Amino acid sequence: MPPSTSESTATGGGNSLDFDEIELTLGLPGESRDKKSGTKRHFADVIDLKLGSFVDPETDKSGGDCSDLIAGKPRSKERVVGWPPLRSYRKNYTMKSNCKYVKVAVDGAPYLRKVDLQSYGGYQQLLCVFEEMFSCFMIRNVLIEKKMMNTVSRSEHVPTYEDKDGDWMLFGDVPWKMFVETCTRIRLMKSSEAINQLTN
Amino acid sequence: MAYSFPDDVLEHVFSFITSDKDRNAVSLVCKSWYEIERWCRRRIFVGNCYAVSPGIVIRRFPDVRSVELKGKPHFADFNLVPDGWGGYVYPWIAEFSRAYPWLEEIRLKRMVVSDESLELISKSFKSFRVLVLSSCEGFSTDGLAAIAANCRNLRELDLRESEIEDLSGHWLSHFPDTFTSLESINMACLGSEVSFSALECLVARSPNLKTLRLNRAVPLDKLSTLLRLAPQLVEFGTGAYSAEIRPDTYSRLAEAFSCCKKLKGLSGFWDVVPSYLPAVYSVCSRLTSLNLSYSPMRSPDITKIISQCHNLQRLWVLDYIEDVGLNALALSCKDLQELRVFPSDPYVVDANVSLTEQGLVSVCKGCPKLQSVLYFCRQMSNSALFAIARNRPNLTCFRLCIIEAQAPDYLTFEPLDAGFGAIVEHCKDLRRLSLSGFLTDRVFEYIGTHANRLEMLSIAFAGDSDLGLHHVLSGCDSLRKLEIRDCPFGDKALLANVAKLETMRSLWMSSCSVSFGACKLLSQMMPRLNVEVIDEQGYSDAEADSCLVEKLYIYRTVAGPRIDMPDFIWTMDQDRAYRLRNRPSS
């Protein structure tokens, strides 16, 4: 049952208001102003402006340039500042079940880091994050050891993780979702040590 | 006038008039009434701390005992207002400390409160009794320690939803042993653990304690100790409601709850272990207020509780309640006045909860006294909104958030204009409305025409053109606060309705289509408005006028432009040329 149509009133006769008559312009007389017409701000436009690329967590589509992946927010839903309208106090208490923080150790680094595996869409993305997280350290390593380092996966460090059974596994063997489910912590193992363990 | 009442008789009569509105009306009758009234006004409310200055307040009202101040705009709750915006309480406290030595109560909302402010409060006002800090920030537990140590007559300390730098729980131990006047304490927002023995002693020596809201760190097995010491409690907030399942812990807790014959409000329930929930059943029938919005309790447990709460008036809960729980609510809680349903997981597309618009419709049909609704959901239809409007014309507050922005009617794919139109047409006393979903200019036509009592309107991702905003500004006779984000509203509507802006407290517009040029013009036309442009990107002089502003906050004021603005806020004041010349080049 839609509401009855409004009647024009002195103050509220919106339909009949002729905007051209009351239009105010700025600038010198005779100067034409390039006016932007009101366009609907679509939610999608806001996302593009604010977030960059989007990663689908359902399938591992995370291959590609690291810079793309890190610039975009890899959440399960695009995020716009302040939407949905919830106080941060309330967001802090919303269920932790959607976070999975695991420790990341890099052989030789003096301290560990933590990452939320739920934030990422796939292995490649995660490795890019490690590259950024540990870049200072890596660079120092390069200077000290005078070796060339590229990405984590091609360098001296081998990404491994401990699963629920306590076994140390190599990244990439199982689908991403299974990895998120079973991973308890991560170690970027020096490949020299990995080789030592293999030969022992 | 030879036959007027003596002043003290008038003053006595005025002492029965407590509402601000009535007091303001009294002060307008004649000069002598204005004078008498201003000397005996004891309580003031300042809805926008920048609308007036401390000096002006003190000059007019020389003997105030209770002050309430609000600072940042509402959208600050959602991180839309940058840090450093303002809302500092210190200047107010400094002047009050000189002018109001008998000040008893300070209530602040969305203000920046420093430890220095708290220390100054604690030392300046000998009869200080009530401190409420709602959604405030800028202070630490050191400031709380000063309050605890120095406010000998404190009755109420409420920190609701403030962001506090939590250095330690030691602050609570600063209440002296001689301190026995506590009536209400809400520390639910604090993270760190307070000394339990200090807490226990505090509760034990506070015979008038009515409200005790603990923080998460207080373990479940300690609750019975506290409840046994304070069976007179009216409102109680638990800490984390979980412990190893032990029969003696359970029975002690159940027994302690059953002794609280006056308990009417419950909250807390972080980290629930469901086996402990029946311990509260004995108090359910007396409960009028229940806040489960921080609790991971699922629908079956929630339903078991609310089915016993026949006197419930207020329920705050997560969407874990689901439609089935809301149906139970509709059946069991016929006195329900306020319902708030928050999303457990706002950022996933498909939450694993079966909560739809049907739950809300159920409650609206079943609860004849329902007045206030805040509801987050993932789908809505015009037909559901019609049902709500028809069944609940007594709604005064309707805030609907469909989580996916610009979502249309999920059945017909039409805009939700007609549905919200029905709400404003039927609910003639509607004072507050928040819109969401796919909406065109049409909904604003309905609102402008019908929402005559509407005082606050929140709009996001809606409308087609300036006409939408014009409908609202040219209608809505009672509008006080308007907040808009990401809508295609611009200069035309604003400049066609300048006079309206002085009848309102404030207008917030962010990510809309308002130009700098329009802001300048508005400032020139309306000297009693502060037109503040928030611009964190900076702008270049050359294209200033046609550039669109990021965020705009306009409010009426008798205090002139404010002097505590950060760099990124621009106003058209006398120093405009200076500011333009001296902007850092981007």
Side-chain angles (χ1 to χ4, degrees), chain A residues 24-148:
Chain A
L24 297 159
T25 58
L26 297 168
L28 299 170
E31 197 179 359
S32 69
R33 184 162 74 120
D34 189 20
K35 239 160 39 80
K36 290 186 190 200
S37 57
T39 48
K40 193 180 185 92
R41 290 262 331 210
H42 288 282
F43 190 68
D45 296 339
V46 177
I47 301 296
D48 287 341
L49 289 171
K50 295 193 166 132
L51 293 180
S53 62
F54 161 57
V55 174
D56 182 357
E58 295 305 317
T59 59
D60 184 359
K61 290 180 183 165
S62 68
D65 266 345
C66 279
S67 50
D68 279 351
L69 295 169
I70 289 170
K73 284 214 174 204
R75 297 272 174 199
S76 50
K77 182 173 166 61
E78 300 98 337
R79 293 234 205 164
V80 170
V81 173
W83 191 267
L86 279 174
R87 296 183 179 195
S88 44
Y89 180 72
R90 202 165 273 292
K91 281 187 275 194
N92 289 340
Y93 284 91
T94 50
M95 300 309 110
K96 302 282 188 184
S97 57
N98 232 37
C99 280
K100 186 168 178 176
Y101 277 96
V102 297
K103 290 183 184 175
V104 183
V106 178
D107 284 358
Y111 51 80
L112 280 63
R113 298 294 300 265
K114 265 197 168 175
V115 290
D116 172 13
L117 296 180
Q118 298 276 16
S119 304
Y120 307 105
Y123 289 110
Q124 184 59 29
Q125 196 171 31
L126 189 59
L127 292 173
C128 286
V129 170
F130 291 158
E131 188 180 342
E132 194 174 304
M133 255 186 183
F134 296 105
S135 60
C136 298
F137 172 66
M138 294 294 189
I139 289 167
R140 279 205 295 282
N141 260 353
V142 170
L143 294 174
I144 290 167
E145 297 176 0
K146 297 187 173 55
K147 287 198 173 108
M148 286 299 294

Side-chain angles (χ1 to χ4, degrees), chain B residues 3 45 85 139 201 203 206 214 326 440 458 474 481 497 507:
Chain B
Y3 301 107
F45 168 78
W85 176 87
F139 60 105
C201 289
V203 172
S206 304
L214 303 169
L326 291 172
T440 73
S458 309
S474 57
K481 288 181 283 184
N497 291 284
L507 167 64

Side-chain angles (χ1 to χ4, degrees), chain B residues 262-280:
Chain B
K262 300 198 177 164
L263 202 55
K264 289 200 173 157
L266 271 185
S267 62
F269 297 102
W270 285 277
D271 313 318
V272 161
V273 164
S275 312
Y276 278 103
L277 286 174
V280 308

Side-chain angles (χ1 to χ4, degrees), chain A residues 1-7 11-15 17 19-20 22-27 33-44 46 50 75-98, chain B residues 77-80 110 135 161 163 188-189 216 270 293-294 296 316 318 320 342-348 376 386 390 401-403 405-406 418 421 425-426 438-439 445-446 449-450 460-461 463-464 467 470-471 474 485-486 488 492 495-496 511 517:
Chain A
M1 185 211 312
S4 44
T5 47
S6 59
E7 289 179 304
T11 52
N15 295 358
L17 189 75
F19 275 115
D20 289 338
I22 57 150
E23 184 176 305
L24 297 159
T25 58
L26 297 168
R33 184 162 74 120
D34 189 20
K35 239 160 39 80
K36 290 186 190 200
S37 57
T39 48
K40 193 180 185 92
R41 290 262 331 210
H42 288 282
F43 190 68
V46 177
K50 295 193 166 132
R75 297 272 174 199
S76 50
K77 182 173 166 61
E78 300 98 337
R79 293 234 205 164
V80 170
V81 173
W83 191 267
L86 279 174
R87 296 183 179 195
S88 44
Y89 180 72
R90 202 165 273 292
K91 281 187 275 194
N92 289 340
Y93 284 91
T94 50
M95 300 309 110
K96 302 282 188 184
S97 57
N98 232 37
Chain B
D77 286 354
F78 316 132
N79 299 328
L80 289 176
R110 282 189 212 102
S135 304
E161 302 189 359
E163 273 184 40
C189 60
R216 196 174 189 167
W270 285 277
S293 62
Y294 298 109
W316 290 24
L318 288 172
Y320 289 138
F342 297 96
S344 53
D345 204 343
Y347 301 114
V348 294
F376 282 80
F386 296 155
R390 269 197 313 265
C401 179
I402 306 163
I403 288 176
Q406 297 181 328
E425 196 184 6
H426 287 262
F438 180 48
L439 297 164
E445 188 180 349
Y446 297 144
T449 310
H450 293 285
F461 304 105
D464 307 310
L467 199 52
H470 176 71
H471 283 309
S474 57
R485 63 161 299 177
D486 293 276
K492 273 187 186 164
L495 295 173
S511 307

Side-chain angles (χ1 to χ4, degrees), chain B residues 67 73 112 127 217 252 271 295 318-320 354 497 509 534 542-543 545 561 563 565 574:
Chain B
V67 172
V112 178
S127 314
R252 270 204 308 271
D271 313 318
S295 179
L318 288 172
D319 56 9
Y320 289 138
S354 180
N497 291 284
M509 292 179 72
I534 296 171
E543 43 182 24
D545 279 4
I563 53 173
M565 284 182 287
Q574 290 88 341

Side-chain angles (χ1 to χ4, degrees), chain B residues 222-255:
Chain B
K222 297 283 206 279
L223 295 183
S224 50
T225 310
L226 295 172
L227 289 172
R228 271 202 315 270
L229 289 169
Q232 75 283 4
L233 281 178
V234 176
E235 291 179 334
F236 181 62
T238 75
Y241 203 73
S242 71
E244 271 180 45
I245 299 175
R246 300 185 42 173
D248 52 341
T249 309
Y250 175 85
S251 55
R252 270 204 308 271
L253 185 59
E255 161 103 35

Side-chain angles (χ1 to χ4, degrees), chain B residues 89-90 93 108 113-124 128 131 133 138-147 150-151 157 159 164:
Chain B
V89 81
Y90 190 84
I93 305 298
L108 305 175
V113 181
S114 59
D115 284 344
E116 287 74 28
S117 307
L118 292 176
E119 262 174 74
L120 190 55
I121 290 173
S122 76
K123 299 207 170 119
S124 308
F128 195 69
L131 183 63
L133 302 174
F139 60 105
S140 76
T141 41
D142 286 351
L144 296 179
I147 296 285
N150 301 319
C151 298
L157 178 62
L159 306 171
I164 305 171

